[in-house]
Amino acid sequence: MANQDFSLIFERGKKGRTSYSLPEMDVPEMDLDNEFENCYVRSDAPDLPEVSELDIMRHYTGLSRRNYGVDSGFYPLGSCTMKYNPKINEDVASLDGFSHIHPHQDPKTVQGAMEMMYDLQASLSELTGMHDFSLQSAAGAQGEWSGLMMIRAFHEANGDDNRTKVIVPDSAHGTNPASVTVAGFEPVTVQTNENGLVDLEDLKRVVDEETAAMMLTNPNTLGLFETDIMEMAEIVHGAGGKLYYDGANLNAIMGYARPGDMGFDVVHLNLHKTFTGPHGGGGPGSGPVGVTEEFVSYLPKPVLTKKDDQFVFDYDRPASIGRIKPYYGNFGIYLRAYTYIRTMGAEGLKKVSEYAVLNANYLMRRLEKEYVLPYQQHCKHEFVLSGKKQKQLGVRTLDIAKRLLDYGYHPPTIYFPLNVEEAMMTEPTETESKETLDGFIDAMLHISEEAKNEPETVQEAPHQTVVKRMDETTAARKPILRYQK
Amino acid sequence: MEFRYLPMTESDKAEMLTTIGVESTDALFADIPEDVKFKGQLNLKKPANESTLMKELTSMAGKNANLKEYSSFLGAGVYDHYIPSVVHHVISRSEFYTAYTPYQPEISQGELQAIFEFQTMICELTGMEVANSSMYDGGTALAEGVTLSAGQTKRNKIIVSKTVHPETRAVVQTYAKAQNLEIVEIEPENGVTNLEQLEKEVDETTASVVVQYPNFFGQVEPLDKVNAIIRQQKKTMFIVSSNPLALGYLTPPGDFGADIVVGDTQVFGIPAQFGGPHCGYFATTDKLKRKVPGRLVGQTTDEDGERGFVLTLQAREQHIRRDKATSNICSNQALNALASSVAMSSIGKYGLRKMAVLNMQKARYAKQQLAAAGMPAVFSGPFFNELVIQLPGDVADINDRLVKSGIIGGYDLGFTYPEWKGHMLVAVTENRSKEEIDTFVKELGDIHG
């Protein structure tokens, strides 16, 4: 890539250059400045770019070439389910009748949109074995939080005000305990046992009359199915607590098992993971929440329902936790998920999980020859390797990740979960072919050889990227968070 | 049945199973206990091929009255604005939309730089020192701002003007309940915050005061006077929710002493799409930069001394700090922030004021015409591109009639303000032509009789 221009958009263009094409001023103009006190009329224009339309296209095309997505190559980022984003989904989301409709239009004029949402709610309920779904949550984290708020409302409605604690496994993603705090609860950690599963004895020890809920993902963040799930449900329910399902890992079990059948009371799903909503460079996502029947009255409002063949938004929900987002959530992402579910059907979605699990196990068995595999059983959609053997050679997991960039791959999630030393959490997804997996395996095995024979090649990686390793310490110590002339 | 997203072949499958050392994929699911296994058939619609599904969904989309075909005077937080064609072309580059959070800066400089530029544009618009990479939407951004103010001041009383968007206030209520915060609402007076009541309410327990600028009724709040009241209390924070397009004309909240400025950049390059996804922004002072929720991108250098960008100040965030994090938010609205950045670049330094003024002029023309037809604006103060009028009868019924004439009428204020029943909030953007405005006024006039 010769002739690269790394300029900021503010450093491009020239004073006086424009690229807008605004509608014409076809009404008589009035004196605006008279209407406002002087201090309300902006004295200097904000320093936005002064560029031509081609400047913009060159700039952002340049940026896109310095970025890496699923369409660029293999992206086995564990727990993020970086599967292919189907193109028909994007086309559907761009239809005028979906993308250019206003949330406050009379429901009679948006029945098509509401029908899609209603149908999606029903599909998600069926897939998870839950009674009902609210689509409103903007992302997984907001789904967790609103789910916990419903559990809080449930306990409060039962006069159970002392339930202030939520149990979270030590392998859980940091979002879980953060959501617990934001919902006004206190997190309590339960340990993982030597098999990578929740330690039942420890669970019995931490559960008590203050337990509001336990949060769990199944399969867990190690990619392992929590085989004692029914016992766990019994322990938590027996103490009067509720079971919360973090749906980050649903891609592993569609058609094989449903959270609702495992005793979960409240679940959230990430439509941008399992259901192919594109990750967008960090969002927007969507985190619908499903509940059992006893939680239906607590769902965020408004609730989409059907009355006399008409879809309506029901605001008359006195027990609801309230509104968690303006309007009805990230509708644009529902369209993608819905299109995907309709493309795959029950049969296709079961195959998705089958192949996601097959791909992960194949990758795991090939890589365990050179990398430490802390938990030996079959995995589900993802697995966690440890780089501790390579660490003894002076090569850290971070170095391996950076070296993978040279081979053209996005690395796995690293240093997570926290209970595995030098962790590499790898999730290939079902949309990757065997050739792609084999290529990645070759690269990983090659890096392992490099670690033995020429460790500096790995330690000093990446060598092929547009920039080298970044000085993150200075970035945090003396933050520069905006451009200044 | 074939599935085009699944590349697995029978021979691949056989080879892979051999490598794993199992007979069939069922063996990989054998650890799921029998009583948990799902043995039925999921009751979902049959898989649909591409053309059939496209046809069906196009017809479903066709059941909705869309803003391209109808002439819309509906705003109330979501607006029909000019979206430059470049926006869709840029955000359709799959290196952007199929990527995730830029955890690996060496292969994510594009996204990181785009966010850094977005942060800069938001600072420029709001007159603030720091902006984050974006939030879910304007409503939750405000809720996060309120939470921050309570944590920062160790106080729990939040004063919110009732001229703030009602759905945003509802979201703030839900977040406040989670944190045991007390919300006190201030009544409007001639369409803006009642300053006398505000002055009475602000006290030494007040964490923050929230106003919207321009407010939900389209009116421009007197930020200088609000700030003067707030500053009587040393620690109380001033939070402003602001439509960033209006800031092309109006003095930015930062110049009036705001501590936190939030809002939604839907006005820049993001279609209404039934209310989401849009794109919240969050801007604040340098002093509070380590308290900001969500992602922040910072400039730094690589080993060769070249300029580059990274996610920074991550010690605030949930994946590091877990239960002590400033927020539980993980994602941002990166792709929509990108859309807004492209739109802001395209509209540019000169276009922004021009676009704001177009909105204001057209709204004033509509105001004049409505008054001439016997429907004067209810409030008299300075406003941006929305105004409130009183109608003879039920607004929903009137909107029903307007739709038949190809018009999507304004927001029924009685829906969220019972005391304003029979009043319509009318939005007039640059996309409405004089002819459309004239037709709208005529239709309303005919109904008015």
Side-chain angles (χ1 to χ4, degrees), chain B residues 13-35:
Chain B
K13 193 171 164 180
E15 270 185 65
M16 290 164 82
L17 287 171
T18 307
T19 303
I20 298 166
V22 292
E23 295 271 311
S24 74
T25 51
D26 283 343
L28 303 175
F29 293 91
D31 51 354
I32 301 180
E34 278 306 308
D35 51 348

Side-chain angles (χ1 to χ4, degrees), chain B residues 355-372:
Chain B
M355 183 167 161
V357 167
L358 264 175
N359 277 263
M360 295 168 79
Q361 291 291 0
K362 294 195 177 198
R364 275 150 188 77
Y365 174 72
K367 179 184 172 186
Q368 204 178 49
Q369 297 302 306
L370 285 163

Side-chain angles (χ1 to χ4, degrees), chain A residues 33 35 39-40 42 47 64 99-101 105 115 119 126 182 256 281 323 325 327 402 468 471, chain B residues 38 43 45 63 65 67 93 99 104 124 137 167 174 179 223-224 247 249 251 273-274 300 302 364:
Chain A
D33 294 356
E35 187 185 326
C39 68
Y40 286 93
R42 187 164 195 147
D47 233 340
S64 75
S99 67
H100 293 282
I101 52 176
Q105 275 176 237
E115 178 188 345
D119 211 8
E126 174 67 13
V182 180
Y256 286 92
R323 192 180 258 292
K325 197 182 178 317
Y327 320 116
K402 295 303 181 197
K468 297 276 176 61
D471 181 355
Chain B
F38 180 71
N43 182 21
K45 287 181 180 156
K63 290 186 201 166
L67 306 174
R93 291 203 59 105
Q104 299 290 339
E124 280 295 323
D137 52 60
E167 297 195 5
T174 310
Q179 298 291 316
L223 295 193
D224 55 338
L247 302 180
Y249 181 86
T251 302
Q273 42 194 350
F274 210 35
T300 185
D302 75 355
R364 275 150 188 77

